[in-house]
Structure formats: structure tokens, C-alpha cells
Amino acid sequence: MDQRTSTAVPPLTESDLRLLRIFRSVAEAGGLTAAETALGMERSTISRHLQSLEIRLGARLCFRGPAGFELTEFGQRALHAAVSASDTLDVIRHELNLARNVMTGDLHVAIADNCLSNPQSALAKALAKFRELAPDVRVHLSIKLPNELLNGIAERHFHLGITGATPGHERLEFRSIFHEAFRLYAAARAGAPPVRLGELARDGYAVVMRTNDQRTQMLARRLKLQRSAVAFGLEAVATLLAAGHFVGYLPCHYAKALSHMYALVEVGDAEALAYDTIFSLVSLKDRPLPPSAQVLMRLLLDTQAAHEAAG
């Protein structure tokens, strides 16, 4: 079947929408086998449904076989259309439920790790209020790295996100809600003088860099330490620091929360390396949010403002 065709796509039916939902599940899972559990179907059945959809649309959606699974260019456009159709149906269903004073459905939210321990964040309070207003909405909460979170919102896997990533995506809207202070930390050494910036190299420290974090990579170049380590996530950074003779960035609130278990201390004379990150509530500009997402967004903004006003 040729990927490109001059034949127009026929008017879509309810059966076509079902096939598009199946195709979306396969595409997001990354293959037929991976989608079997989510769809509750055998691979052969899923394959027949994809073939039926390709015949209806008149073009190949994906390459599937021993070489792996890959969307065609048409398949990528079809996936975007499938997600848009699903969003539209969700909005319609939510609106009809609201007419009956009922709010249901699934709400997908992604956040950065360790938001809970940040005293500047009112996320838990907002979720508590949301639970009272919409007890029948099923919330899916995921912890994601900044790039994964932003891409997930852009690709419509998440309705909302909270991250410290710098605004710069034209399709995404950023609303500042709270900040997070980062400082340079290391483990205190029993019976030894305080850890100081100018003595890190002499004392054999290794710098901890975070995956896909340019700031920690710049730190490594600035400190000029011979040894380094790479961490995926803040807990990985803290674990290395707690082991001793590692130095790296941690949020102040997170280091304080660990202080009763590990002797993490700020590195002396490193004030110039400190920085703050602004956390934002992120959404997709051209995506119609369901009422549940609109309610949570309003609660997050209002609760955060009240939290800051209360000091």
C-alpha cells in the first residue's frame, strides 16, 4: 500500500473512531506486542484492525515486523488527528456530564520530582481541594524529567504539567507559580574542616552531573575536577552526595528534608554558584482542556497565590 495517495479520505464513522483509538494505543505503546495488554487484544487482532484502518484511509500508517515498529509520515499525522479526535470527544462527554452536575473522566498531570517537599509549593493543597470538587475524576500523576514533561504535553499525553524548565516552546503556555532555590552541597566529614569550594580539587571530590542538565555540565567545567559522576533524578544526586566526596546541586528544601538522615551541608564560598528556578504550570495553547483540567488549573493558581500571601 502506497503511503501517499491522491484519493480523499472518506467521511469517518464510529467504527473509524474506534480504529483510530486502537491505532493511537499501538503508536503510543511503540508496537503491537506492547499494546496487547492495554487494549486487551491479541496481536493478530490488533494487526487486522490496523490493516482495516489503513484500507479506510488509503495509506500506510506504520511499518511493523521483525525490524521493529515505526510510524510513516502519514501515520504521524494520523496519530495527531486521533489524539485531537479523542480530546474533542472527551470535551463533549465532560460538557454533557457537567450539564448533569457530574465531573468524570481521566486527568493526566506530570510534575517534576520532589515538588512535595518544597514549602513554596501548594500542589498537595490544590489536589485536596480538587478531590473534594471532582471525586469521580481519576487523576493520573506522573514524575517526569523536564524535557519528557514538555514533550508529553506537546504530544497531548498530559493535560497539565509543573516543571522548572525554562519557557521557550511556542506551542506551550507557562504560568509561574513558585520557585526553588538550588545550592552546592556535599557530605560533611566527621572531624574534618568544613567543605570549601577552593579545596574540592585538592581533596579529591567528584562533581555530580544530572542527565540532560546543562547547568550541572557547566558546573563541571567551572570546577575543573578530574572526576565526575552522572545521576538520573534528584534522589540519585542526593545518594551520591551522601556517599561522601561528591559535590553537586540540590534544592535547599530537599537537602533540608534529608538532613536528619545524612549530613549534607552547603559548600563554603560557593554563593556565586547558587541559583533559583521558577516553576511553572504548563499547558498546550491549542488544546481544548476538559473541565476537570480547567478546574485543577484554577485551583492550582488560586491555592498557590493564597499560599504565598500567607507566607
Side-chain angles (χ1 to χ4, degrees):
M1 183 184 300
D2 191 0
Q3 179 183 338
R4 299 182 180 276
T5 176
S6 59
T7 304
V9 173
L12 299 181
T13 65
E14 292 182 6
S15 296
D16 295 326
L17 291 176
R18 177 174 178 270
L19 294 177
L20 283 169
R21 283 196 292 269
I22 293 173
F23 166 63
R24 177 185 178 182
S25 295
V26 173
E28 292 181 345
L32 279 68
T33 301
E36 284 183 306
T37 301
L39 291 172
M41 298 179 184
E42 294 182 355
R43 175 176 176 146
S44 58
T45 303
I46 298 174
S47 181
R48 287 198 300 272
H49 286 315
L50 290 184
Q51 290 174 0
S52 297
L53 182 59
E54 288 176 332
I55 291 173
R56 283 284 295 164
L57 300 180
R60 180 181 289 278
L61 294 167
C62 55
F63 299 104
R64 46 197 184 271
F69 178 87
E70 182 181 0
L71 292 177
T72 63
E73 182 180 347
F74 180 79
Q76 293 173 354
R77 298 290 295 273
L79 175 59
H80 181 76
V83 173
S84 297
S86 179
D87 285 345
T88 301
L89 291 174
D90 282 344
V91 170
I92 293 172
R93 181 165 62 92
H94 286 306
E95 290 295 338
L96 293 176
N97 279 327
L98 284 177
R100 300 169 54 237
N101 295 319
V102 176
M103 193 180 300
T104 62
D106 294 275
L107 178 59
H108 296 266
V109 181
I111 64 174
D113 58 350
N114 291 291
C115 282
L116 182 62
S117 60
N118 190 335
Q120 303 294 326
S121 171
L123 173 59
K125 293 180 180 179
L127 287 173
K129 293 179 180 180
F130 181 79
R131 171 68 177 167
E132 294 177 0
L133 292 176
D136 295 323
V137 173
R138 183 167 58 178
V139 178
H140 301 255
L141 189 63
S142 303
I143 305 295
K144 294 293 181 182
L145 291 174
N147 286 342
E148 294 177 337
L149 187 150
L150 297 180
N151 290 335
I153 294 175
E155 295 170 2
R156 305 191 178 212
H157 299 315
F158 306 115
H159 295 102
L160 300 171
I162 297 178
T163 180
T166 303
H169 295 250
E170 294 182 357
R171 299 177 57 206
L172 302 180
E173 184 170 0
F174 291 75
R175 299 173 176 85
S176 300
I177 50 177
F178 63 88
H179 78 276
E180 188 169 71
F182 280 80
R183 301 292 183 267
L184 199 60
Y185 284 90
R189 298 166 295 177
V195 182
R196 309 191 74 83
L197 186 65
E199 299 168 359
L200 294 174
R202 184 200 68 186
D203 294 340
Y205 275 80
V207 60
V208 179
M209 298 181 292
R210 289 183 64 188
T211 306
N212 299 324
D213 185 352
Q214 293 183 355
R215 191 181 292 272
T216 57
Q217 294 168 3
M218 292 173 58
L219 174 67
R221 291 193 293 269
R222 182 165 182 175
L223 295 181
K224 298 180 180 179
L225 300 181
Q226 294 183 354
R227 300 179 180 90
S228 64
V230 180
F232 185 90
L234 288 177
E235 185 169 352
V237 175
T239 300
L240 288 169
L241 297 187
H245 277 87
F246 286 96
V247 60
Y249 280 124
L250 282 180
C252 294
H253 67 86
Y254 185 45
K256 183 178 179 180
L258 295 173
S259 61
H260 69 288
M261 297 177 61
Y262 304 102
L264 299 180
V265 295
E266 286 190 41
V267 175
D269 301 326
E271 293 80 6
L273 299 179
Y275 70 94
D276 286 4
T277 293
I278 301 299
F279 272 66
S280 301
L281 177 61
V282 187
S283 59
L284 187 59
K285 292 179 181 178
D286 62 355
R287 181 181 191 180
L289 290 176
S292 58
Q294 296 176 27
V295 169
L296 180 58
M297 178 183 291
R298 175 176 56 81
L299 286 174
L300 281 167
L301 295 174
D302 291 349
T303 305
Q304 193 66 50
H307 184 73
E308 292 182 4

